[in-house]
Amino acid sequence: MSDESSPWLVVGLGNPGGEYAGNRHNIGFMVADLLAERIGGKFKAHKARAQVLEGRIGPPGPANRRIVLAKPQSFMNLSGGPVNALKDFYKVPVERIVAVHDELDIDYATLRVKIGGGDNGHNGLKSMTKAFGAEYHRVRCGIGRPPGRMQVADFVLKDFSSTERKDLDWFVDRAADAVECLVLEGLERAQSSYNS
């Protein structure tokens, strides 16, 4: 089981580079950016090919938790390498890793928190599972299925629609709350509060 002194590693999945910033596939980065804002820190480049921020979340005192926020700077399908390097660098057990990612099989703006399971065709998760196994936590941010005959790859690499953007800040805020709840209060509480 995990050593209480080890930090949690919260990984927002996305693709690096300005041209991808508003894509559906980058909601993990958006959530990581909001968590960084809440912690009051700035991401810095790490030798593991990731942007990293170390901080604490939760109330002052013994109840708060050390967290390492990360945005891998490889492309999505190669996320496992940087995350595995950070896991080893910070000595984080797999069950203290949280991947925040887009999820096609859930309606837009719906969240699901879980541990373990398959990758559902998500290349970022596939890469992480290959690197260190599947028993990490996931905060799955629903983006819905592509309309009509649009290819999945085209859909995830498009920006959120103007209709979706009306709720995007609320959605990202709620996903960040779910991450904090998971780290501070555990999986069951996060599931009962945020799984809809």
Side-chain angles (χ1 to χ4, degrees), residues 44 65 74 130 173 190:
K44 294 183 174 64
R65 297 274 183 274
S74 60
K130 192 173 167 197
D173 195 58

Side-chain angles (χ1 to χ4, degrees), residues 49-107:
R49 286 186 313 148
Q51 293 280 324
V52 167
L53 167 62
E54 296 176 53
R56 300 189 85 87
I57 61 170
N64 73 19
R65 297 274 183 274
R66 276 177 64 211
I67 112 170
V68 177
L69 269 180
K71 297 192 294 183
Q73 297 299 292
S74 60
F75 280 99
M76 179 72 89
N77 58 344
L78 300 170
S79 302
V83 178
N84 200 35
L86 290 171
K87 171 179 90 64
D88 293 347
F89 182 85
Y90 289 103
K91 300 180 174 53
V92 178
V94 173
E95 67 274 11
R96 282 199 172 202
I97 297 173
V98 182
V100 184
H101 63 91
D102 58 307
E103 178 65 66
L104 288 160
D105 287 335
I106 304 175
D107 290 340

